[in-house]
Coordinates of all heavy atoms in Angstrom, one line a residue:
M28 N -67.1 59.7 48.8 CA -66.8 59.2 47.4 C -65.4 59.7 47.0 O -65.0 60.8 47.3 CB -67.9 59.8 46.5 CG -67.7 59.4 45.1 SD -69.0 60.1 43.9 CE -70.5 59.4 44.6
S29 N -64.7 58.8 46.4 CA -63.3 59.2 46.0 C -63.3 60.0 44.7 O -64.3 60.0 44.0 CB -62.5 57.9 45.7 OG -62.9 57.2 44.5
A30 N -62.2 60.6 44.4 CA -62.1 61.4 43.1 C -62.3 60.5 41.9 O -63.1 60.9 41.0 CB -60.7 62.1 43.0
K31 N -61.8 59.3 42.0 CA -61.9 58.4 40.8 C -63.4 58.0 40.6 O -63.9 58.0 39.5 CB -61.1 57.1 41.1 CG -61.1 56.1 40.0 CD -60.2 54.9 40.3 CE -60.1 54.0 39.2 NZ -60.9 52.8 39.3
E32 N -64.1 57.8 41.7 CA -65.6 57.5 41.6 C -66.3 58.7 41.1 O -67.3 58.6 40.3 CB -66.1 57.1 43.0 CG -65.6 55.8 43.5 CD -65.9 55.5 44.9 OE1 -66.0 56.5 45.7 OE2 -66.1 54.3 45.3
M33 N -65.9 59.9 41.5 CA -66.6 61.1 41.0 C -66.4 61.3 39.5 O -67.3 61.6 38.8 CB -66.0 62.4 41.8 CG -66.5 62.4 43.2 SD -65.6 63.7 44.2 CE -66.6 65.1 43.7
F34 N -65.1 61.1 39.0 CA -64.9 61.2 37.6 C -65.6 60.1 36.8 O -66.2 60.4 35.8 CB -63.4 61.1 37.3 CG -62.6 62.4 37.5 CD1 -61.7 62.5 38.6 CD2 -62.7 63.4 36.6 CE1 -61.0 63.7 38.7 CE2 -62.0 64.6 36.8 CZ -61.2 64.7 37.8
E35 N -65.6 58.9 37.3 CA -66.3 57.8 36.7 C -67.8 58.1 36.6 O -68.5 57.8 35.5 CB -66.1 56.5 37.3 CG -64.6 56.0 37.1 CD -64.3 54.8 37.9 OE1 -65.0 54.4 38.8 OE2 -63.2 54.2 37.6
K36 N -68.4 58.7 37.6 CA -69.8 59.1 37.6 C -70.1 60.1 36.5 O -71.2 60.1 35.9 CB -70.2 59.6 39.0 CG -71.7 59.9 39.1 CD -72.0 60.4 40.5 CE -73.4 60.8 40.6 NZ -73.7 61.4 41.9
L37 N -69.1 61.0 36.2 CA -69.2 62.0 35.1 C -68.9 61.4 33.7 O -68.9 62.1 32.7 CB -68.3 63.2 35.4 CG -68.7 64.0 36.7 CD1 -67.6 64.9 37.1 CD2 -70.1 64.7 36.5
G38 N -68.5 60.1 33.7 CA -68.3 59.5 32.4 C -66.8 59.4 32.0 O -66.5 59.1 30.8
Y39 N -65.9 59.7 32.9 CA -64.5 59.7 32.6 C -63.9 58.4 32.9 O -64.2 57.8 33.9 CB -63.8 60.9 33.3 CG -64.1 62.2 32.7 CD1 -65.3 62.9 33.0 CD2 -63.2 62.9 31.9 CE1 -65.6 64.1 32.5 CE2 -63.5 64.1 31.3 CZ -64.7 64.7 31.6 OH -64.9 65.9 31.1
E40 N -62.9 58.0 32.1 CA -62.2 56.7 32.4 C -60.8 57.1 33.0 O -60.1 58.0 32.6 CB -62.0 55.9 31.1 CG -63.3 55.4 30.6 CD -63.1 54.6 29.3 OE1 -62.0 54.6 28.7 OE2 -64.0 54.0 28.9
Y41 N -60.4 56.3 34.0 CA -59.1 56.5 34.7 C -58.0 55.7 34.1 O -58.2 54.5 33.7 CB -59.3 56.0 36.2 CG -58.1 55.9 37.0 CD1 -57.6 57.0 37.7 CD2 -57.4 54.7 37.1 CE1 -56.4 56.9 38.4 CE2 -56.2 54.6 37.8 CZ -55.7 55.7 38.5 OH -54.6 55.6 39.2
S42 N -56.9 56.3 34.0 CA -55.6 55.5 33.7 C -54.5 56.2 34.3 O -54.5 57.4 34.6 CB -55.5 55.4 32.2 OG -55.3 56.7 31.6
K43 N -53.4 55.4 34.6 CA -52.2 56.0 35.2 C -51.0 55.5 34.3 O -50.9 54.4 34.0 CB -52.0 55.5 36.6 CG -50.8 56.2 37.2 CD -50.8 56.0 38.7 CE -49.6 56.8 39.2 NZ -49.1 56.4 40.5
V44 N -50.3 56.5 33.8 CA -49.1 56.2 33.0 C -47.9 56.9 33.7 O -47.8 58.1 33.8 CB -49.3 56.8 31.6 CG1 -48.1 56.5 30.7 CG2 -50.5 56.2 30.9
G45 N -47.0 56.1 34.2 CA -45.9 56.6 34.9 C -46.3 57.5 36.1 O -47.0 57.0 36.9
E46 N -45.9 58.7 36.1 CA -46.3 59.6 37.2 C -47.5 60.5 36.9 O -47.7 61.5 37.5 CB -45.0 60.5 37.6 CG -43.8 59.7 38.0 CD -44.0 58.8 39.2 OE1 -44.8 59.3 40.2 OE2 -43.5 57.7 39.3
K47 N -48.2 60.1 35.8 CA -49.3 60.9 35.4 C -50.6 60.1 35.6 O -50.7 59.0 35.3 CB -49.2 61.3 33.9 CG -48.0 62.1 33.6 CD -47.9 62.3 32.1 CE -46.6 62.9 31.7 NZ -46.3 62.8 30.3
I48 N -51.6 60.8 36.1 CA -53.0 60.3 36.3 C -53.9 60.9 35.3 O -54.0 62.2 35.2 CB -53.5 60.5 37.7 CG1 -52.7 59.8 38.8 CG2 -55.0 60.1 37.8 CD1 -53.0 60.2 40.2
Y49 N -54.5 60.1 34.5 CA -55.4 60.6 33.4 C -56.9 60.3 33.7 O -57.2 59.2 34.1 CB -55.1 60.0 32.0 CG -53.8 60.4 31.4 CD1 -52.6 59.7 31.6 CD2 -53.7 61.5 30.6 CE1 -51.4 60.1 31.1 CE2 -52.5 61.9 30.0 CZ -51.4 61.2 30.3 OH -50.2 61.6 29.7
Y50 N -57.7 61.2 33.4 CA -59.2 61.0 33.4 C -59.6 61.5 32.0 O -59.4 62.7 31.6 CB -59.9 61.8 34.5 CG -59.7 61.2 35.8 CD1 -58.8 61.9 36.7 CD2 -60.3 60.1 36.3 CE1 -58.5 61.4 38.0 CE2 -60.0 59.6 37.6 CZ -59.2 60.3 38.4 OH -58.9 59.8 39.7
E51 N -60.1 60.6 31.2 CA -60.5 60.9 29.8 C -61.9 60.5 29.5 O -62.3 59.4 29.9 CB -59.5 60.3 28.9 CG -59.7 60.7 27.4 CD -58.6 60.1 26.5 OE1 -57.9 59.1 26.9 OE2 -58.3 60.7 25.5
E52 N -62.6 61.3 28.8 CA -63.9 60.9 28.3 C -63.8 60.1 27.0 O -63.1 60.6 26.1 CB -64.7 62.2 28.1 CG -66.2 62.0 28.0 CD -66.9 63.4 28.0 OE1 -67.0 64.1 29.0 OE2 -67.4 63.7 26.9
P53 N -64.3 58.9 27.0 CA -64.1 58.1 25.8 C -64.8 58.8 24.6 O -65.9 59.4 24.7 CB -64.9 56.8 26.1 CG -65.2 56.9 27.6 CD -65.1 58.3 28.0
N54 N -64.2 58.6 23.4 CA -64.7 59.2 22.2 C -65.2 58.0 21.4 O -64.4 57.3 20.8 CB -63.6 59.9 21.4 CG -64.2 60.6 20.2 OD1 -65.2 60.3 19.7 ND2 -63.4 61.5 19.7
P55 N -66.5 57.8 21.3 CA -67.1 56.6 20.6 C -67.1 56.8 19.1 O -67.3 55.8 18.4 CB -68.5 56.6 21.2 CG -68.9 58.0 21.5 CD -67.6 58.6 22.0
Y56 N -66.8 58.0 18.6 CA -67.0 58.2 17.2 C -65.7 58.0 16.4 O -65.8 57.5 15.2 CB -67.4 59.7 17.0 CG -68.7 59.9 17.7 CD1 -68.7 60.7 18.8 CD2 -69.9 59.3 17.3 CE1 -69.9 61.0 19.5 CE2 -71.1 59.5 18.0 CZ -71.1 60.3 19.1 OH -72.2 60.5 19.8
E57 N -64.5 58.3 16.9 CA -63.4 58.0 16.1 C -62.2 57.7 16.9 O -61.9 58.3 18.0 CB -63.0 59.3 15.2 CG -62.7 60.5 16.0 CD -62.4 61.7 15.0 OE1 -61.2 61.8 14.6 OE2 -63.3 62.4 14.7
L58 N -61.4 56.7 16.5 CA -60.2 56.3 17.2 C -59.1 57.4 16.9 O -59.0 57.8 15.8 CB -59.7 54.9 16.7 CG -60.6 53.8 17.1 CD1 -60.2 52.5 16.4 CD2 -60.7 53.6 18.6
G59 N -58.4 57.7 17.9 CA -57.3 58.7 17.8 C -57.8 60.1 17.7 O -57.1 61.0 17.6
G60 N -59.1 60.3 17.9 CA -59.7 61.7 17.9 C -59.4 62.3 19.3 O -58.9 61.7 20.2
H61 N -59.7 63.6 19.3 CA -59.5 64.4 20.6 C -60.7 64.2 21.5 O -61.8 64.4 21.2 CB -59.3 65.8 20.3 CG -58.1 66.1 19.4 ND1 -56.8 66.0 19.9 CD2 -57.9 66.4 18.1 CE1 -55.9 66.2 19.0 NE2 -56.6 66.5 17.9
S62 N -60.3 63.7 22.7 CA -61.4 63.5 23.8 C -61.1 64.5 24.9 O -59.9 64.8 25.2 CB -61.3 62.1 24.3 OG -61.6 61.2 23.3
P63 N -62.1 64.9 25.6 CA -61.9 65.8 26.8 C -61.1 65.0 27.8 O -61.4 63.8 28.1 CB -63.3 66.1 27.3 CG -64.2 65.9 26.1 CD -63.5 64.8 25.3
Y64 N -60.1 65.6 28.4 CA -59.3 65.0 29.4 C -58.8 65.9 30.5 O -58.8 67.1 30.3 CB -58.1 64.3 28.8 CG -57.0 65.2 28.3 CD1 -56.1 65.8 29.2 CD2 -57.0 65.6 27.0 CE1 -55.1 66.7 28.7 CE2 -56.1 66.5 26.5 CZ -55.1 67.0 27.4 OH -54.2 67.9 26.9
I65 N -58.5 65.4 31.6 CA -57.8 66.0 32.7 C -56.6 65.2 33.1 O -56.7 64.0 33.2 CB -58.7 66.2 34.0 CG1 -59.9 67.1 33.6 CG2 -57.9 66.9 35.1 CD1 -61.1 66.3 33.5
V66 N -55.4 65.8 33.2 CA -54.2 65.0 33.6 C -53.6 65.6 34.8 O -53.5 66.9 34.9 CB -53.2 64.9 32.4 CG1 -52.7 66.2 32.0 CG2 -52.0 64.0 32.8
F67 N -53.2 64.8 35.8 CA -52.5 65.2 37.0 C -51.1 64.8 36.9 O -50.8 63.6 36.8 CB -53.2 64.6 38.2 CG -54.6 65.1 38.4 CD1 -55.7 64.5 37.8 CD2 -54.9 66.2 39.2 CE1 -57.0 65.0 37.9 CE2 -56.2 66.7 39.4 CZ -57.2 66.0 38.8
Y68 N -50.2 65.8 37.0 CA -48.7 65.5 36.9 C -48.3 65.4 38.4 O -48.1 66.4 39.1 CB -48.0 66.6 36.2 CG -48.4 66.8 34.8 CD1 -49.4 67.6 34.4 CD2 -47.8 66.0 33.8 CE1 -49.8 67.8 33.1 CE2 -48.2 66.1 32.5 CZ -49.1 67.0 32.1 OH -49.5 67.1 30.8
T69 N -48.1 64.2 38.9 CA -47.8 64.0 40.3 C -46.5 64.4 40.8 O -46.3 64.8 41.9 CB -48.0 62.5 40.7 OG1 -47.2 61.7 39.9 CG2 -49.5 62.0 40.5
V70 N -45.5 64.5 39.9 CA -44.1 64.9 40.3 C -44.1 66.4 40.4 O -43.6 67.0 41.4 CB -43.1 64.5 39.2 CG1 -41.7 65.1 39.5 CG2 -43.0 62.9 39.2
N71 N -44.7 67.1 39.4 CA -44.7 68.6 39.5 C -45.9 69.2 40.2 O -45.9 70.4 40.4 CB -44.7 69.2 38.0 CG -43.5 68.7 37.3 OD1 -42.4 68.5 37.8 ND2 -43.6 68.6 36.0
Q72 N -46.8 68.4 40.7 CA -47.9 68.8 41.4 C -48.8 69.8 40.8 O -49.0 70.9 41.3 CB -47.6 69.2 42.9 CG -47.0 68.1 43.7 CD -46.8 68.4 45.1 OE1 -47.0 69.5 45.5 NE2 -46.4 67.4 45.9
H73 N -49.2 69.5 39.5 CA -50.1 70.4 38.8 C -51.0 69.6 37.9 O -50.7 68.4 37.7 CB -49.4 71.6 38.1 CG -48.8 71.1 36.8 ND1 -47.6 70.5 36.8 CD2 -49.2 71.3 35.5 CE1 -47.2 70.3 35.5 NE2 -48.2 70.7 34.7
W74 N -52.1 70.2 37.5 CA -53.0 69.5 36.6 C -53.2 70.3 35.3 O -53.0 71.6 35.4 CB -54.3 69.1 37.2 CG -55.1 70.2 37.8 CD1 -55.0 70.8 39.0 CD2 -56.2 70.9 37.1 NE1 -56.0 71.8 39.1 CE2 -56.7 71.8 38.0 CE3 -56.7 70.7 35.8 CZ2 -57.7 72.7 37.6 CZ3 -57.8 71.6 35.5 CH2 -58.3 72.5 36.4
D75 N -53.7 69.7 34.3 CA -53.9 70.4 33.0 C -55.1 69.7 32.4 O -55.5 68.6 32.7 CB -52.7 70.3 32.1 CG -52.8 71.3 31.0 OD1 -53.6 72.2 31.0 OD2 -51.9 71.2 30.0
T76 N -55.8 70.4 31.4 CA -56.9 69.9 30.7 C -57.0 70.5 29.4 O -56.4 71.6 29.1 CB -58.2 70.2 31.5 OG1 -59.3 69.6 30.9 CG2 -58.5 71.7 31.7
N77 N -57.8 69.9 28.5 CA -58.1 70.5 27.2 C -59.6 70.9 27.1 O -60.1 71.2 26.0 CB -57.7 69.5 26.1 CG -58.7 68.3 26.0 OD1 -59.4 68.0 27.0 ND2 -58.6 67.5 24.9
I78 N -60.2 71.0 28.2 CA -61.7 71.3 28.3 C -61.9 72.8 28.3 O -61.4 73.4 29.3 CB -62.3 70.6 29.5 CG1 -62.2 69.1 29.4 CG2 -63.8 71.0 29.6 CD1 -62.6 68.3 30.6
V79 N -62.5 73.3 27.3 CA -62.8 74.7 27.3 C -64.0 75.0 28.2 O -65.0 74.3 28.2 CB -63.1 75.1 25.8 CG1 -63.6 76.6 25.7 CG2 -62.0 74.8 24.9
G80 N -63.9 76.1 28.9 CA -65.0 76.5 29.8 C -65.2 75.6 31.1 O -66.2 75.5 31.6
I81 N -64.1 75.0 31.5 CA -64.1 74.1 32.6 C -64.6 74.8 33.9 O -65.2 74.2 34.8 CB -62.7 73.4 32.9 CG1 -62.9 72.2 33.8 CG2 -61.7 74.4 33.3 CD1 -61.7 71.3 33.9
E82 N -64.3 76.1 34.0 CA -64.7 76.9 35.2 C -66.2 76.9 35.4 O -66.7 77.1 36.5 CB -64.2 78.3 35.1 CG -64.7 79.2 34.1 CD -64.1 79.0 32.7 OE1 -63.2 78.2 32.5 OE2 -64.5 79.7 31.8
K83 N -67.0 76.5 34.4 CA -68.5 76.5 34.4 C -69.0 75.1 34.8 O -70.2 74.9 35.0 CB -69.1 77.0 33.1 CG -68.7 78.4 32.8 CD -69.3 78.8 31.5 CE -68.9 80.2 31.1 NZ -69.3 80.6 29.8
K84 N -68.1 74.1 34.9 CA -68.5 72.7 35.1 C -68.3 72.4 36.6 O -67.2 71.8 36.9 CB -67.8 71.8 34.2 CG -68.0 72.1 32.7 CD -67.3 71.2 31.8 CE -67.4 71.5 30.3 NZ -68.6 71.3 29.7
K85 N -69.3 72.7 37.4 CA -69.1 72.6 38.9 C -68.8 71.1 39.3 O -67.9 70.9 40.1 CB -70.4 73.1 39.5 CG -70.2 73.2 41.0 CD -71.4 74.0 41.6 CE -72.6 73.0 41.9 NZ -73.7 73.6 42.7
D86 N -69.5 70.2 38.8 CA -69.3 68.8 39.2 C -67.8 68.3 38.8 O -67.2 67.6 39.6 CB -70.3 67.8 38.5 CG -71.7 68.0 39.0 OD1 -71.8 68.7 40.1 OD2 -72.6 67.5 38.4
L87 N -67.4 68.8 37.7 CA -66.0 68.4 37.2 C -65.0 69.1 38.1 O -64.0 68.5 38.5 CB -65.8 68.8 35.8 CG -64.6 68.2 35.1 CD1 -64.5 66.7 35.2 CD2 -64.6 68.6 33.6
L88 N -65.2 70.3 38.5 CA -64.3 71.0 39.4 C -64.2 70.4 40.7 O -63.2 70.3 41.4 CB -64.6 72.5 39.5 CG -64.4 73.4 38.2 CD1 -64.9 74.8 38.4 CD2 -62.9 73.4 37.9
Q89 N -65.4 69.9 41.2 CA -65.4 69.2 42.5 C -64.5 68.0 42.5 O -63.8 67.6 43.4 CB -66.8 68.9 42.9 CG -67.6 70.1 43.3 CD -69.1 69.8 43.6 OE1 -69.6 68.8 43.1 NE2 -69.7 70.7 44.4
A90 N -64.6 67.2 41.4 CA -63.8 66.0 41.2 C -62.3 66.3 41.1 O -61.5 65.7 41.7 CB -64.3 65.2 39.9
I91 N -62.0 67.4 40.4 CA -60.6 67.8 40.3 C -60.1 68.2 41.7 O -59.0 67.8 42.1 CB -60.4 69.0 39.3 CG1 -60.6 68.5 37.9 CG2 -59.1 69.7 39.5 CD1 -60.8 69.6 36.9
N92 N -60.9 69.0 42.5 CA -60.5 69.4 43.8 C -60.3 68.2 44.7 O -59.4 68.2 45.6 CB -61.5 70.4 44.4 CG -61.4 71.8 43.7 OD1 -60.3 72.2 43.2 ND2 -62.5 72.5 43.7
K93 N -61.2 67.2 44.6 CA -61.1 66.0 45.4 C -59.8 65.3 45.1 O -59.1 64.8 46.0 CB -62.3 65.1 45.2 CG -62.3 63.9 46.0 CD -62.5 64.2 47.5 CE -62.7 62.9 48.3 NZ -62.8 63.2 49.7
Q94 N -59.4 65.2 43.8 CA -58.2 64.5 43.4 C -57.0 65.3 44.0 O -56.0 64.7 44.5 CB -58.1 64.4 41.9 CG -56.8 63.7 41.4 CD -56.9 62.2 41.8 OE1 -57.7 61.4 41.2 NE2 -56.1 61.8 42.7
V95 N -57.0 66.6 43.9 CA -55.9 67.4 44.5 C -55.8 67.2 46.0 O -54.7 67.0 46.5 CB -56.1 68.9 44.2 CG1 -55.2 69.8 45.0 CG2 -55.9 69.2 42.7
E96 N -56.9 67.1 46.6 CA -56.9 66.8 48.1 C -56.3 65.4 48.4 O -55.5 65.3 49.3 CB -58.4 66.9 48.6 CG -58.6 66.6 50.0 CD -60.0 66.5 50.4 OE1 -60.8 67.4 50.0 OE2 -60.4 65.6 51.1
E97 N -56.8 64.4 47.6 CA -56.3 63.1 47.8 C -54.8 62.9 47.6 O -54.1 62.1 48.2 CB -57.1 62.1 46.9 CG -58.5 61.9 47.4 CD -59.3 61.0 46.4 OE1 -58.7 60.4 45.5 OE2 -60.5 60.9 46.6
L98 N -54.3 63.7 46.6 CA -52.8 63.7 46.3 C -52.0 64.5 47.4 O -50.8 64.5 47.4 CB -52.6 64.3 44.9 CG -53.0 63.4 43.8 CD1 -53.0 64.2 42.5 CD2 -52.2 62.1 43.7
G99 N -52.7 65.3 48.2 CA -52.1 66.0 49.3 C -51.4 67.3 48.8 O -50.6 67.9 49.5
W100 N -51.8 67.8 47.6 CA -51.2 69.0 47.1 C -51.7 70.3 47.8 O -51.0 71.3 47.7 CB -51.6 69.2 45.6 CG -51.0 68.1 44.7 CD1 -50.1 67.1 45.1 CD2 -51.2 67.9 43.3 NE1 -49.9 66.3 44.0 CE2 -50.5 66.8 42.9 CE3 -52.0 68.6 42.4 CZ2 -50.5 66.3 41.6 CZ3 -52.0 68.1 41.1 CH2 -51.3 67.0 40.7
N101 N -52.8 70.2 48.5 CA -53.3 71.5 49.1 C -52.8 71.5 50.6 O -53.3 72.4 51.3 CB -54.8 71.6 49.0 CG -55.5 70.3 49.5 OD1 -54.9 69.3 50.0 ND2 -56.8 70.3 49.5
N102 N -51.9 70.7 51.0 CA -51.4 70.7 52.4 C -50.4 71.8 52.5 O -49.5 72.0 51.6 CB -50.8 69.4 52.8 CG -51.9 68.3 52.9 OD1 -53.0 68.5 53.0 ND2 -51.4 67.0 52.8
E103 N -50.4 72.5 53.6 CA -49.4 73.5 53.9 C -48.1 72.8 54.2 O -48.0 71.8 54.8 CB -49.8 74.4 55.1 CG -51.0 75.2 54.9 CD -50.8 76.3 53.9 OE1 -49.7 76.9 53.8 OE2 -51.7 76.6 53.1
K104 N -47.0 73.4 53.7 CA -45.6 72.8 54.0 C -44.9 73.6 55.0 O -45.1 74.8 55.2 CB -44.8 72.9 52.7 CG -45.4 71.9 51.7 CD -44.6 71.9 50.4 CE -45.2 70.9 49.4 NZ -44.5 70.8 48.2

């Protein structure tokens, strides 16, 4: 299963803007509100999130690790 499929299974939507890959949980309650997201900065090779307590979300961490693997960030140089 790909990282994109793993995120989608968890309810996150995929988008790519320039050199950034976004996975965001849709917010059905208000437009412009804050939704949980993970963003991968492909140029700088790091990711960021606004999710509090992410270290406790095993399925989400597995999807993040899979995306890092697919991007080749964990390869030795």
Side-chain angles (χ1 to χ4, degrees):
M28 182 180 296
S29 72
K31 185 173 183 260
E32 291 169 328
M33 291 171 80
F34 277 109
E35 287 174 348
K36 186 177 176 186
L37 294 169
Y39 287 79
E40 293 180 349
Y41 169 88
S42 63
K43 185 166 187 203
V44 179
E46 300 299 322
K47 299 174 191 167
I48 297 171
Y49 288 93
Y50 290 101
E51 185 172 24
E52 200 172 283
N54 185 344
Y56 302 109
E57 62 179 273
L58 293 174
H61 297 288
S62 298
Y64 69 83
I65 299 103
V66 60
F67 294 86
Y68 299 93
T69 59
V70 172
N71 298 331
Q72 296 189 352
H73 76 279
W74 62 272
D75 196 12
T76 184
N77 68 345
I78 300 170
V79 176
I81 194 167
E82 66 277 359
K83 297 177 184 172
K84 301 179 186 289
K85 191 170 83 169
D86 291 347
L87 193 52
L88 289 175
Q89 288 174 340
I91 290 168
N92 288 333
K93 182 67 173 176
Q94 184 67 71
V95 167
E96 177 186 316
E97 289 176 8
L98 290 167
W100 295 355
N101 54 358
N102 294 340
E103 293 293 323
K104 292 184 179 179

